[in-house]
Amino acid sequence: MEFKHVSVLLEETINSLNIKKDGIYADGTLGGGGHSFEIASRLGPGGVLIGIDRDKDALKAASQRLSEFDNVKYVHSNFSNIKQILKNQGIPYLDGAVIDLGVSSYQLDSGERGFSYMQDAPLDMRMDQSAPFSAYDVVNTYSQEDLTRIFFDYGEEKFSKKIASLIVKQREQKNIETTLELVDIIKRAVPEKLRQKGSHPAKRVFQAIRIEVNSELEPLKKSITDFFDCLAPGGRLSIITFHSLEDRIVKQTFKSFTVGCTCPKDFPICVCGKKPIGKLVENKPILPSMEELEYNKRSKSAKLRICEKL
């Protein structure tokens, strides 16, 4: 299957980076190369773009899409390793970076990857297909308590306990091997009235399992901090999120960069010496335009936040 992905908030993200022709930029989630293509197009001979992805299919597709540019470095890794990546590349700093935390259209639509609750496929959901841990392991080895926890914490699923209970009961008969087997179990746990309205009943559980498999939230705050540390003064970090859990972490981490003195208010003078290291480019997240929502429904929940290093 061809690697296709419609880049969300493309124009807004590129504009947010204030790209300099001789600047050094990183795309922490290269995907199909949409954001990277626009960044590379704006760079001159002295500019450098580092494209990072843990999905080898994405790296292959992006390298083909960006083949006209000779200033792109491709790295198979998790963006959480940004400091080591820059060290390996001999790059001292970044003038800007973008991280798109969404799942690519290719990953969702490619049946064998197991991300979609609409197609039958082996339970997988690994963004890095060389990783040993998959959705199959979560569904078939986690305790009922742990399943309940991740469904509630990562999926905000109100029927977490009942879904987890049915999964464990089903496992006693045979292991759950495919996406649609799991979907059938989830549907049995959700009241019929709720199944007939709103989003797909399996959406939240599949999101939760995907987050668990790929450790998407646990290292996110540290990853954001590491990227920000790598920025030169005036450099910008632009992050696109797709659900409230991610957005909350990005919002709170960015806010922490903008905080100065943390001394108690009744102190006559500052003794902590803490000063802001960043500023928010926009106080509120940038949302997709009505035009974008019309041609790309998957952008509906997207939010773009930007922080500039002082």
Side-chain angles (χ1 to χ4, degrees):
M1 180 178 174
E2 184 183 354
F3 198 110
K4 292 183 178 179
H5 180 61
V6 179
S7 297
V8 173
L9 292 162
L10 179 59
E11 183 178 347
E12 295 88 343
T13 302
I14 299 305
N15 289 341
S16 75
L17 293 174
N18 274 352
I19 296 172
K20 303 183 295 184
K21 283 188 173 293
D22 60 350
I24 304 171
Y25 297 87
D27 186 340
T29 46
L30 186 58
H35 289 112
S36 282
F37 186 92
E38 295 302 323
I39 294 171
S41 298
R42 289 160 173 75
L43 294 177
V48 176
L49 171 63
I50 304 152
I52 306 162
D53 209 293
R54 51 180 164 174
D55 188 332
K56 289 183 178 179
D57 287 346
L59 286 167
K60 181 179 178 181
S63 64
Q64 292 172 352
R65 184 172 185 178
L66 304 173
S67 60
E68 66 186 87
F69 305 107
D70 58 6
N71 54 357
V72 183
K73 299 176 181 291
Y74 303 95
V75 180
H76 179 231
S77 185
N78 191 315
F79 65 77
S80 63
N81 300 319
I82 184 61
K83 287 189 173 181
Q84 187 61 47
I85 290 169
L86 293 187
K87 183 178 179 181
N88 293 345
Q89 296 289 335
I91 292 174
Y93 63 86
L94 296 171
D95 291 298
V98 58
I99 303 172
D100 179 342
L101 295 174
V103 181
S104 74
S105 299
Y106 168 83
Q107 289 168 332
L108 287 171
D109 296 336
S110 182
E112 68 271 14
R113 299 297 294 270
F115 286 97
S116 175
Y117 42 78
M118 303 297 289
Q119 301 183 60
D120 200 18
L123 280 170
D124 192 336
M125 301 193 199
R126 292 172 298 167
M127 290 183 178
D128 180 353
Q129 291 188 290
S130 66
F133 185 71
S134 71
Y136 178 90
D137 299 300
V138 172
V139 173
N140 290 290
T141 68
Y142 275 30
S143 67
Q144 183 172 326
E145 291 74 19
D146 284 340
L147 288 173
T148 301
R149 174 184 55 79
I150 68 165
F151 295 162
F152 186 80
D153 290 350
Y154 296 163
E156 300 175 298
E157 171 57 65
K158 65 173 68 176
F159 299 104
S160 297
K161 193 171 183 178
K162 188 173 182 182
I163 293 169
S165 174
L166 289 180
I167 286 173
V168 171
K169 285 181 181 179
Q170 179 63 36
R171 282 177 356 198
E172 293 173 355
Q173 306 300 318
K174 64 178 288 292
N175 281 352
I176 300 161
E177 299 182 357
T178 71
T179 53
L180 292 192
E181 283 181 59
L182 180 58
V183 169
D184 286 341
I185 294 168
I186 296 167
K187 285 181 176 179
R188 295 206 306 269
V190 178
E192 187 175 354
K193 287 183 180 180
L194 295 178
R195 295 204 308 263
Q196 294 173 350
K197 60 182 181 179
S199 60
H200 194 285
K203 180 179 180 179
R204 294 178 182 274
V205 171
F206 270 61
Q207 172 184 296
I209 296 172
R210 190 200 80 224
I211 289 171
E212 177 71 10
V213 168
N214 298 289
S215 299
E216 293 178 33
L217 293 182
E218 187 177 338
L220 185 54
K221 181 177 180 179
K222 182 179 184 302
S223 300
I224 295 169
T225 303
D226 285 351
F227 260 89
F228 202 76
D229 287 346
C230 294
L231 292 177
R236 290 183 174 185
L237 177 58
S238 301
I239 303 181
I240 302 169
T241 63
F242 288 84
H243 57 75
S244 59
L245 300 171
E246 296 170 337
D247 185 59
R248 191 177 304 128
I249 293 171
V250 175
K251 179 182 179 180
Q252 292 174 350
T253 307
F254 277 2
K255 185 178 180 181
S256 71
F257 299 151
T258 68
V259 174
C261 174
T262 55
C263 294
K265 292 183 179 180
D266 58 353
F267 274 32
I269 60 170
C270 172
V271 295
C272 72
K274 186 177 180 183
K275 295 182 179 180
I277 59 172
K279 68 175 183 179
L280 299 178
V281 175
E282 299 284 348
N283 288 323
K284 292 186 177 181
I286 297 173
L287 306 178
S289 65
M290 292 301 295
E291 181 183 0
E292 179 169 3
L293 290 171
E294 286 181 11
Y295 72 77
N296 184 13
K297 291 182 180 179
R298 286 176 176 166
S299 68
K300 182 179 179 180
S301 59
K303 294 180 178 180
L304 169 65
R305 294 186 186 271
I306 313 130
C307 194
E308 180 178 311
K309 190 167 187 177
L310 297 176

